[in-house]
């Protein structure tokens, strides 16, 4: 947990204790130290705290009729999913939720040649269209998507719908 993973809402989180499926910690707000609590889950051996962003690299997902492009300037870890250009093109990204409920997925993308869209499917059920405004290639931008996740591992599928976009990563908060 860092100030950045809490989007600046908690400054200098620390002094953490775990009790069952909850984490207790301190953080600064307006020159005063406050106490916080949040749900805690375990993604294999990795702790996941609800409200603190966790990053999942798109290029580590499962791809269909798409490819990993390495050497992507400015991309997280230098690789992205590219050529999600056809009706049967998609990438599945597995994400973890410590408890079931509403979350925000921050999807990092680059799009050129006009605004693009992906059809996003959550766990093979809920579907919605995610739009990516044209900001230019290798200009990595995040768009938020509100979604409901099950406790534990969930699969987000990003499938070609219109135009062209490359995916860098997904952060869940």
């Amino acid at each position: 947990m860092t100030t950045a993973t809490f989007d600046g809402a908690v400054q200098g989180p620390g002094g953490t204790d775990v009790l069952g499926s909850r984490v207790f910690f301190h953080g600064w707000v307006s020159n005063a130290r406050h106490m916080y609590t949040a749900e805690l889950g375990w993604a294999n051996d990795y702790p996941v705290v609800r409200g603190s962003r966790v990053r999942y690299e798109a290029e580590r997902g499962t791809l269909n009729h798409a490819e990993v492009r390495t050497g992507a300037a400015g991309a997280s870890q230098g690789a992205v999913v590219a050529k999600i250009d056809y009706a049967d093109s998609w990438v599945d990204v597995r994400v973890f939720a410590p408890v079931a409920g509403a979350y925000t997925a921050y999807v990092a993308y680059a799009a050129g040649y006009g605004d693009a869209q992906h059809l996003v499917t959550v766990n093979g059920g809920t579907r919605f269209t995610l739009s990516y405004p044209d900001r230019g290639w290798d200009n990595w931008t995040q768009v938020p998507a509100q979604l409901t996740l099950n406790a534990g591992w969930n699969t987000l599928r990003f499938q070609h719908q219109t135009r062209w976009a490359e995916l860098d990563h997904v952060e869940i908060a």
Side-chain angles (χ1 to χ4, degrees), residues 12-170:
T16 306
D17 284 312
V18 174
L19 181 61
S21 61
R22 300 197 61 79
V23 62
F24 299 85
F25 59 99
H26 295 98
W28 291 99
V29 176
S30 302
N31 294 324
R33 198 86 166 140
H34 293 263
M35 180 122 183
Y36 297 90
T37 183
E39 288 96 359
L40 173 69
W42 294 91
N44 301 322
D45 293 329
Y46 184 76
V48 177
V49 176
R50 184 165 190 178
S52 180
R53 287 191 190 202
V54 176
R55 180 173 290 186
Y56 302 89
E57 296 292 333
E59 67 272 12
R60 292 187 187 148
T62 302
L63 282 60
N64 188 73
H65 204 178
E67 64 185 51
V68 173
R69 178 171 72 91
T70 58
S76 173
Q77 299 188 6
V80 299
V81 177
K83 298 193 178 179
I84 312 170
D85 297 348
Y86 310 97
D88 65 343
S89 295
W90 48 258
V91 58
D92 283 350
V93 179
R94 289 187 69 220
V95 300
F96 187 86
V99 296
Y103 288 84
T104 302
Y106 296 92
V107 181
Y109 77 94
Y113 307 122
D115 296 350
Q117 294 179 322
H118 283 157
L119 177 64
V120 180
T121 307
V122 180
N123 295 322
T126 304
R127 293 175 171 225
F128 61 91
T129 298
L130 187 58
S131 296
Y132 308 107
D134 182 346
R135 302 276 191 258
W137 296 113
D138 287 334
N139 185 8
W140 305 103
T141 306
Q142 287 188 343
V143 292
Q146 304 303 315
L147 40 90
T148 300
L149 299 176
N150 297 327
W153 289 102
N154 296 263
T155 301
L156 307 180
R157 174 169 287 180
F158 297 86
Q159 186 171 359
H160 178 266
Q161 191 165 27
T162 65
R163 315 275 306 157
W164 309 280
E166 295 181 337
L167 294 184
D168 183 8
H169 62 267
V170 177

